[in-house]
């Protein structure tokens, strides 16, 4: 019997906190400035410069811990993580080690819950930029603008068993961090990065195999691909009787492979010790309570509320809250302006989303007429003033003209014909013009009825009230 292996995966997510200034100094954190223009003695690691902890960074870290149900430790300790690298001017990174900000917690991944080991605060390093080819002409430039930017690192338990679940878990973490306003979710600019630890073990075995750490993956798709590659690579080694090396590997999106970077350091290699320039971080219950009050509603809670309060299906709530940015806010404002929940939800998921896609936009803020405008349009449909098909034309006109739905309907005379006498005249004309289908209907071929209703709608330029038109037509041709 060949041995069957299962992957064991844990994630470490580095999340840049959305503070205006760095974690231990007043330098700006804004992205894209000219190199080394957002630096000072503290974040350049000059001798004698002392760090001062950014209060806002701590509050954002508390928010993240609360949202992820992690328990916040009353005292946490900053520690020096010592290593030598050009982008780390002090020769150490200020991080947290054996007393992190928070421990435990959980996040969903697909249908399973993934445990969190810890959440700790730390500073980011600078950025190395490599220029020149071949190797002999190669130069490395250093940009310290990112040095000292506040991060939290979220470490999951090794609870994940597939590359797809790992990508899903990273996605859910991003969603929560963005929803609570502590991260901008911008993975291309590196505000959210993921390292993944992956090993294989025989199914049924409790022990872990030797793991590889895949560093700095900055998209969900790449994370999944990197892990799929790594799982196959390790399985190949194990099945041919080899031994997986514990090492750090880098994902190369050009080749779709991971490459060895270095053998993995153990914690002892970093010679952690408490940071002597910073006092212990004390977070009391009162502070946690104040932060809790400022927390926005989390996506899961909001979905549940939309289902309970507005009778939406969980599918609709999921699309509005998670799939279309800003849609849940737009939906609630549309309902508050008088639209029915089901109608508002259908329009946002249907016409509004289609139109945004056509314009290459994805955020509801691009809708020029806002929730009140949509509510007015749906009220005209629900009240029988215009049919759904006319409403779609009015909707288009609202984008181009900026006029309200009511103004467009009045100016273009689009109101439905609900007047029996006017409809009867149109029906008579259609009956007279279509003797054959009428005769066929009377002979029992009732399928022609739909055709005749269509002719009435066409003759009325789509303005006939379809239910009334069908009723009058039926009365006219039955006998
Ligand atoms: Zn600075």
């Amino acid at each position: 019997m060949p041995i069957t292996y299962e992957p064991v995966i844990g994630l470490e997510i580095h999340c840049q906190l959305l503070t205006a200034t760095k974690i231990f100094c007043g330098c700006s954190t804004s992205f894209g400035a000219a190199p080394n223009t957002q630096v000072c003695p503290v974040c350049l690691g000059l001798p004698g410069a002392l760090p001062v902890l950014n209060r806002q960074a701590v509050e954002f870290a508390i928010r993240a811990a609360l949202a992820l149900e992690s328990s916040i430790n009353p005292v946490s300790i900053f520690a020096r993580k010592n290593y030598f690298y050009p982008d780390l001017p002090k020769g150490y990174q200020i991080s947290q080690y054996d007393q992190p900000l928070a421990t435990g917690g959980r996040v969903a991944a697909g249908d399973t819950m993934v445990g969190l080991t810890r959440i700790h605060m730390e500073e980011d390093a600078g950025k190395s930029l490599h220029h020149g080819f071949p190797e002999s002409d190669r130069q490395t430039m250093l940009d310290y603008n990112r040095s000292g930017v506040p991060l939290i690192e979220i470490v999951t338990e090794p609870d994940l068993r597939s590359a797809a679940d790992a990508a899903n878990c990273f996605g859910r973490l991003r969603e929560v961090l963005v929803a609570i306003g502590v991260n901008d979710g911008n993975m291309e600019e590196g505000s959210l990065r993921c390292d993944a630890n992956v090993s294989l073990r025989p199914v049924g075995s409790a022990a872990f195999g030797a793991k590889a750490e895949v560093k700095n993956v900055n998209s969900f798709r790449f994370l999944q691909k990197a892990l799929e590659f790594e799982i196959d690579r390790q399985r190949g080694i194990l099945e041919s009787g080899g031994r997986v090396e514990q090492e750090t590997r880098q994902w190369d999106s050009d080749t779709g492979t991971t490459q060895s970077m270095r053998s993995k350091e153990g914690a002892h290699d970093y010679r952690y010790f408490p940071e002597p320039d910073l006092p212990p971080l004390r977070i009391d219950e009162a502070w946690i309570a104040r932060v809790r009050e400022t927390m926005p509603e989390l996506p899961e809670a909001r979905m549940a509320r939309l289902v309970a309060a507005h009778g939406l299906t969980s599918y609709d709530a999921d699309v509005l809250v998670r799939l279309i940015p800003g849609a849940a806010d737009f939906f609630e404002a549309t309902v508050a302006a008088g639209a029915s929940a089901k109608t508002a939800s259908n329009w946002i998921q249907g016409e509004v989303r289609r139109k945004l896609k056509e314009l290459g936009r994805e955020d509801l803020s691009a809708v020029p007429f806002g929730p009140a405008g949509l509510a007015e349009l749906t009220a005209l449909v629900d009240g029988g003033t215009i049919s759904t098909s006319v409403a779609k034309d009015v909707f288009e006109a609202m984008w181009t003209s900026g006029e309200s739905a009511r103004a467009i309907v009045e100016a273009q005379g689009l109101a439905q014909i609900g007047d029996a006498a006017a409809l009867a005249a149109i029906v008579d004309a259609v009956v007279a013009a279509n003797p054959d289908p009428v005769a066929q209907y009377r002979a029992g071929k009732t399928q022609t009825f739909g055709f005749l209703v269509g002719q009435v709608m066409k003759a009325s330029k789509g303005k006939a009230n379809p239910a009334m038109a069908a009723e009058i037509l039926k009365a006219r041709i039955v006998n």
Side-chain angles (χ1 to χ4, degrees):
M1 271 282 285
I3 301 171
T4 315
Y5 293 95
E6 69 171 358
V8 175
I9 302 165
L11 303 180
E12 295 172 12
I13 312 286
H14 287 91
C15 158
Q16 178 178 337
L17 300 173
L18 273 176
T19 55
T21 57
K22 295 185 181 179
I23 186 168
F24 299 123
C25 63
C27 293
S28 168
T29 55
S30 67
F31 182 85
N36 299 309
T37 54
Q38 294 171 175
V39 291
C40 74
V42 174
C43 54
L44 285 174
L46 300 188
L50 290 173
V52 177
L53 181 58
N54 181 335
R55 186 180 178 88
Q56 181 66 61
V58 179
E59 298 202 347
F60 282 157
I62 294 174
R63 269 193 189 201
L66 289 173
L68 297 168
E69 298 173 56
S70 189
S71 50
I72 295 162
N73 295 317
V75 180
S76 58
I77 303 288
F78 285 97
R80 290 188 181 179
K81 180 180 184 180
N82 296 281
Y83 62 95
F84 179 78
Y85 204 75
D87 64 18
L88 192 70
K90 295 194 292 292
Y92 60 84
Q93 177 191 23
I94 303 180
S95 181
Q96 293 183 315
Y97 179 49
D98 51 1
Q99 286 181 259
L101 178 97
T103 37
R106 55 191 206 135
V107 64
D111 295 329
T112 54
M113 289 307 277
V114 176
L116 300 185
T117 313
R118 54 190 272 146
I119 300 174
H120 69 250
M121 300 185 71
E122 62 186 24
E123 59 178 341
D124 208 346
K127 195 150 85 185
S128 303
L129 304 155
H130 306 289
H131 294 284
F133 191 82
E135 199 76 11
S136 54
D137 289 337
R138 198 162 157 106
Q139 289 184 317
T140 297
M141 320 280 265
L142 289 158
D143 177 6
Y144 291 109
N145 284 349
R146 209 177 66 183
S147 171
V149 160
L151 306 178
I152 47 173
E153 182 174 334
I154 301 166
V155 182
T156 78
E157 292 286 295
D159 288 346
L160 293 153
R161 295 290 174 270
S162 76
D165 277 356
N168 197 307
C169 179
F170 185 22
R172 193 55 73 90
L173 278 168
R174 176 179 183 271
E175 177 184 290
V176 170
L177 295 166
V178 171
I180 59 174
V182 307
N183 183 267
D184 63 13
N186 191 331
M187 300 195 282
E188 267 172 25
E189 291 177 2
S191 338
L192 198 64
R193 315 189 285 269
C194 179
D195 301 341
N197 288 300
V198 52
S199 61
L200 259 56
R201 67 180 175 191
V203 169
S205 157
F208 296 126
K211 67 185 177 188
E213 182 180 20
V214 185
K215 296 292 279 185
N216 280 336
V217 188
N218 66 351
S219 90
F220 306 127
R221 195 166 60 88
F222 287 163
L223 176 63
Q224 182 161 347
K225 282 182 174 298
L227 286 171
E228 282 166 356
F229 175 84
E230 194 53 28
I231 290 165
D232 281 350
R233 185 187 72 86
Q234 293 186 17
R235 182 177 288 127
I237 293 172
L238 293 170
E239 285 177 351
S240 62
R243 211 169 58 95
V244 174
E245 294 294 325
Q246 175 143 325
E247 63 183 348
T248 301
R249 299 181 68 87
Q250 188 161 31
W251 165 246
D252 181 344
S253 55
D254 292 334
T255 60
T257 62
T258 65
Q259 307 289 338
S260 181
M261 285 168 77
R262 55 178 185 261
S263 63
K264 170 79 180 155
E265 298 88 349
H268 60 274
D269 296 325
Y270 291 120
R271 293 179 296 118
Y272 279 100
F273 63 86
E275 166 60 61
D277 292 336
L278 285 165
L281 171 58
R282 294 178 195 281
I283 300 172
D284 60 19
E285 285 301 323
W287 192 5
I288 295 172
R290 283 199 302 279
V291 174
R292 198 189 293 274
E293 274 171 24
T294 68
M295 293 273 288
E297 190 175 33
L298 294 173
E300 296 283 337
R302 188 168 205 187
M303 280 166 55
R305 188 171 57 77
L306 292 187
V307 169
H310 299 293
L312 294 184
T313 63
S314 50
Y315 172 82
D316 287 344
D318 186 65
V319 172
L320 292 175
V321 172
R322 299 180 45 212
L323 296 188
I324 317 175
D329 289 340
F330 201 95
F331 165 78
E332 293 203 84
T334 305
V335 172
S340 87
K342 185 66 190 162
T343 309
S345 166
N346 287 346
W347 273 88
I348 292 168
Q349 292 183 56
E351 288 301 298
V352 174
R353 196 180 191 189
R354 182 193 59 74
K355 185 70 185 177
L356 288 170
K357 200 168 277 178
E358 182 184 304
L359 298 173
R361 300 288 301 262
E362 54 172 31
D363 195 286
L364 271 284
S365 64
V367 181
F369 43 80
L374 182 61
E376 185 180 305
L377 176 64
T378 61
L380 292 173
V381 179
D382 290 345
T385 307
I386 54 175
S387 66
T388 304
S389 68
V390 168
K392 288 179 180 171
D393 296 336
V394 174
F395 175 82
E396 281 294 331
M398 289 166 73
W399 282 80
T400 44
S401 70
E403 299 279 323
S404 76
R406 194 171 293 280
I408 292 165
V409 167
E410 276 167 18
Q412 300 186 21
L414 296 174
Q416 278 191 142
I417 304 169
D419 171 53
L423 280 177
I426 296 170
V427 168
D428 284 345
V430 167
V431 168
N434 294 279
D436 289 348
V438 170
Q440 284 165 8
Y441 180 84
R442 284 175 176 152
K445 200 175 166 205
T446 49
Q447 303 94 300
T448 58
F449 188 71
F451 167 77
L452 291 167
V453 173
Q455 293 303 303
V456 173
M457 294 309 293
K458 195 172 163 192
S460 71
K461 297 189 174 68
K463 295 192 298 187
N465 178 317
M468 279 182 74
E471 199 179 318
I472 293 169
L473 177 66
K474 188 160 266 179
R476 193 60 47 104
I477 61 177
V478 157
N479 41 42

